[in-house]
Amino acid sequence: MKKESTETSPSTKFGAFIRSVLVMFTLLIVISITVWISFFQFRLPQVLPLNIKSDQFSAMNALKYLENFAKIPHPLGSEEHDRVRDYLMTTLTNLGVSPQIQKVDSPDSAWGVKYNGQIENILARIPGKDSSGAIMVSAHYDTVEGSAGAADDGSSVASILETVRILMQSSKLKNDVIILITDGEESGLLGAQAFVKFHPWAEDVRLALNFEARGSGGPSILFETNSMNGTLVNEFIKSVPNPIAHSFIYDLYKFMPNDTDLTVFKNAGMYGLNFAFFEGLNAYHNSNDNIEALSLNSLQHHGENMTSLVQHFGNMNLIDSKPEKIVFFNLFGKNVITYSEKIVLPIMIIIILAYILTFIHGYFREKLSFKGTFIGFLIFLFTITITYILGSVLWKVLLIFNSDNTLAFETDLKLTNPLFVLFIGVIFIIISVLYRIFSLKIGRSNFAMGAYFSWLMLVVITSVFFKGSSYIFVWPLFFALIGLNIQLIMKGFNLIINYMTSIGFIFFTILLTAPILYLIYVLLSLSNMGLLLGLVSLLSAFIIPAIDISNLRVTRKTNRKREISTFESTRI
């Protein structure tokens, strides 16, 4: 009997090519729209003009203050430092408060080194009607050598002045408000150390609100709290118009070589919230940190957060709180999801059981095997390793040919954004090729389950050791497993249903993870290219399988022909 050919006809190949193009085009549109939607949370408020209502924060008002003291560098011990100090004292007096200077000789730095000189903190206190404790708003007015400090930390000091204006023209709050503009932060958190050790007001502080900047723009983000953060974060979400908060940032921040005044305040037993904007790292601690580079929208967001928090906590009972640890993250713009860390481990157990049940489901439907899943896992680890190595090599090559512009290639988003997108595209092309090669050998479902096992490992690690970051891995995997089960239930390959299921769960995955990847990229800079592209390759576990959907029909037909051929050969 004549053996049936297993070759795919030219017309079938052309049809597969057209479907691949349509799939790629649709997928690109879905990813682009989803990233755009996911970035709604980073939208900055409009800058409010001069002469607005007395209870509204105006970046233009704050800018007027800033233009008077962020002209040239004013590091600790300089003549310009003394001029800025005097200007801030005069301005606070004109706003209606009674400022004072706390002078401390030779204080210890936060790094245990004695400073041979004097620091001068600027303080003021606005009494409340029936205070249950004091809210402290803090920022530092010193700069590093060579920087005018318009963003770091002039933006925060100017926001304090504008907030004081609003408070003095509004109804008196319930609680006292302490204004602390610290000195010597850049030299080792000297002013904060002096305040908590020697100033009597430190005993009254129930909540410290610290404001910083690590760049010239971007949204004002809550990046640090106490470990028992439930009450603070929930009240923050309720009080500000545009809250941005991700609990993973603090987990990441703890590994970074940065400290702020809030570190000292927390060590002294205070509760606190720390805010900063992070974009434009090329204007951090250098001459680029000037008024021209500062984003007024970022200044507006910074100030709105400050004013709203002071007014909100200013009328609360600061003693009556039941703190707990919570996980929190933005989803769909300004909506912040929160839940207790107490349920992180139970959620982890549910995810583990869901993975096991999914494997059993696929095994009995003859779509999954232990060997195939294990090979899929090894292949996925291989792709992550390759992308990490490739990213590191690409970065080194880039610097070799652009050694004179290292800082720009590390920190200037106008340059790094298109480069990052380009490298992501290259990585996805490479991963797509690897996927198509190996998925035909072990099966699409085995490849997916192997990749998901990598995510399951990260779910366990973060749920046990970094609970605030666990949501990054828990929820994409949970919904990916649901999607895989839906596809396993279907009898035969229904191309449309398969594709729509894949697209649906890709939408959710990108909605949650794209802002996180962007924040990591901004915080770590492009100099960590290997790590960043390794994280991108992790996302391929959910995105790449959708690219292969276009080949399902062709593959199924080819496999069917092979089955018929094998059957006929056996008969002969």
Side-chain angles (χ1 to χ4, degrees), residues 146-440:
S147 171
D152 180 26
D153 196 22
S155 60
S156 303
V157 174
S159 295
I160 286 179
L161 297 177
E162 174 67 355
T163 298
V164 170
R165 178 194 70 79
I166 292 170
L167 293 177
M168 298 307 293
Q169 295 180 6
S170 304
S171 301
K172 184 177 287 190
L173 299 175
K174 178 180 182 295
N175 298 312
D176 290 359
V177 177
I178 294 174
I179 303 301
L180 172 62
I181 305 177
T182 62
D183 193 9
E185 192 269 355
E186 301 289 7
S187 301
L189 315 181
L190 298 173
Q193 295 276 104
F195 176 74
V196 299
K197 286 183 178 180
F198 303 116
H199 203 286
W201 288 358
E203 297 294 327
D204 301 331
V205 176
R206 295 293 177 269
L207 174 64
L209 303 172
N210 191 63
F211 289 79
E212 271 284 358
R214 187 174 174 265
S216 59
S220 178
I221 299 173
L222 172 63
F223 72 94
E224 181 184 8
T225 68
N226 301 78
S227 59
M228 306 301 284
N229 55 18
T231 301
L232 294 178
V233 174
N234 283 316
E235 294 300 327
F236 157 69
I237 294 167
K238 290 191 294 186
S239 65
V240 303
N242 295 290
I244 302 177
H246 287 268
S247 51
F248 92 89
I249 297 179
Y250 183 46
D251 285 340
L252 179 62
Y253 173 72
K254 287 185 287 188
F255 288 97
M256 298 176 68
N258 302 97
D259 282 317
T260 69
D261 285 341
L262 189 66
T263 304
V264 176
F265 302 147
K266 286 169 59 178
N267 290 339
M270 300 178 189
Y271 284 96
L273 298 171
N274 214 356
F275 298 86
F277 44 85
F278 300 99
E279 293 182 7
L281 193 56
N282 58 312
Y284 175 62
H285 280 186
N286 57 43
S287 59
N288 294 329
D289 185 3
N290 51 50
I291 292 176
E292 290 73 23
L294 177 65
S295 166
L296 293 183
N297 299 93
S298 299
L299 179 59
Q300 181 71 39
H301 196 200
H302 225 31
E304 284 184 2
N305 281 349
M306 182 185 294
T307 304
S308 299
L309 286 164
V310 171
Q311 292 174 329
H312 181 77
F313 283 104
N315 286 311
M316 285 183 60
N317 187 342
L318 298 177
I319 300 174
D320 183 19
S321 64
K322 297 178 181 179
E324 65 171 342
K325 296 181 180 181
I326 65 171
V327 177
F328 50 92
F329 55 94
N330 281 73
L331 193 66
F332 289 110
K334 64 181 181 180
N335 300 296
V336 182
I337 308 299
T338 66
Y339 55 87
S340 173
E341 283 194 4
K342 293 178 181 178
I343 66 172
V344 168
L345 290 179
I347 290 174
M348 178 194 76
I349 293 171
I350 292 172
I351 297 296
I352 293 173
L353 292 175
Y355 184 89
I356 293 172
L357 291 173
T358 300
F359 180 84
I360 293 172
H361 180 200
Y363 182 82
F364 281 104
R365 288 185 177 271
E366 299 182 349
K367 298 295 183 183
L368 293 173
S369 67
F370 288 102
K371 181 180 178 180
T373 298
F374 180 67
I375 293 174
F377 168 68
L378 293 179
I379 293 170
F380 191 66
L381 288 184
F382 173 74
T383 61
I384 294 174
T385 304
I386 288 296
T387 53
Y388 175 83
I389 294 173
L390 183 60
S392 301
V393 171
L394 282 172
W395 176 247
K396 290 180 180 178
V397 170
L398 189 65
L399 293 187
I400 289 173
F401 289 99
N402 299 276
S403 57
D404 296 334
N405 297 307
T406 301
L407 179 62
F409 275 97
E410 287 182 346
T411 59
D412 189 348
L413 293 182
K414 292 180 181 178
L415 184 62
T416 62
N417 282 348
L419 278 175
F420 191 36
V421 172
L422 175 63
F423 287 154
I424 288 175
V426 172
I427 289 301
F428 269 111
I429 291 173
I430 294 172
I431 293 175
S432 298
V433 172
L434 291 173
Y435 174 81
R436 286 175 180 266
I437 291 172
F438 292 112
S439 65
L440 291 176

Side-chain angles (χ1 to χ4, degrees), residues 10 13 33 64 151 245 252 356 446 453 509 526 530 533:
K13 289 182 179 180
I33 292 174
K64 287 175 61 180
L252 179 62
I356 293 172
N446 279 317
F453 186 74
T509 300
L526 204 61
L533 293 185

